[in-house]
Amino acid sequence: MTVYFDEITLGQTASFRKTVTEADVVLFAGITGDHNPVHTDEEYARSTPFGRRIAHGLLTSSLVSTVLGNQLPGPGTIYLSQSLRFMAPVFIGDTVTASVEVTALDPLKQRVTLATRCRVGERTVLEGEALVKAPSRV
């Protein structure tokens, strides 16, 4: 469901939850060409500080895009920019909750600024800020 610019309020939130699977990591590597062994090679990943394979950071951040494109504002939203800070790894099998919160509105340009965050349980794994152009009725 689309939330039009005139329906958006400061503090409004939305979220999406997904468990990251082996297939997600393999498919993401195939789509992007990022075959870094920390994502794709269990033996190699055991020798890293993480001790096992981790999901691609941009796979995690793409869950924010899911929230923006499907919920808030939803279909018709145009992504303009995104800042990201990766705080902790996401492992295969982790359930990630991506959430957004409206922090500013620009009525003239119908732009929305949102705080973005991904968590695994209570652990923040990603945070940042998105700027989008919200759909309008006009």
Side-chain angles (χ1 to χ4, degrees):
M1 180 175 104
T2 299
V3 181
Y4 294 99
F5 183 84
D6 64 340
E7 299 171 317
I8 299 172
T9 59
L10 290 175
Q12 193 169 354
T13 64
S15 64
F16 172 76
R17 175 179 260 190
K18 177 178 180 25
T19 300
V20 176
T21 67
E22 166 81 15
D24 294 327
V25 172
V26 169
L27 290 169
F28 194 86
I31 290 166
T32 64
D34 180 353
H35 296 280
N36 182 332
V38 75
H39 308 304
T40 60
D41 183 329
E42 189 64 45
E43 184 177 337
Y44 175 87
R46 277 195 295 273
S47 71
T48 70
F50 306 116
R52 56 187 164 138
R53 291 169 49 210
I54 60 172
H56 299 75
L58 290 181
L59 187 156
T60 301
S61 70
S62 70
L63 301 179
V64 170
S65 180
T66 300
V67 180
L68 297 171
N70 292 328
Q71 296 179 39
L72 181 62
T77 297
I78 305 298
Y79 222 141
L80 299 174
S81 69
Q82 174 76 56
S83 68
L84 300 169
R85 285 179 299 285
F86 298 99
M87 314 294 285
V90 172
F91 299 101
I92 295 169
D94 281 351
T95 299
V96 178
T97 301
S99 60
V100 302
E101 179 180 355
V102 176
T103 59
L105 297 165
D106 179 347
L108 187 63
K109 295 182 179 180
Q110 296 191 322
R111 292 182 176 183
V112 182
T113 303
L114 305 102
T116 61
R117 178 169 285 117
C118 291
R119 288 192 171 118
V120 173
E122 294 301 313
R123 177 175 48 113
T124 298
V125 296
L126 177 152
E127 61 184 18
E129 183 177 85
L131 178 65
V132 302
K133 182 168 182 7
S136 119
R137 296 178 198 278
V138 181

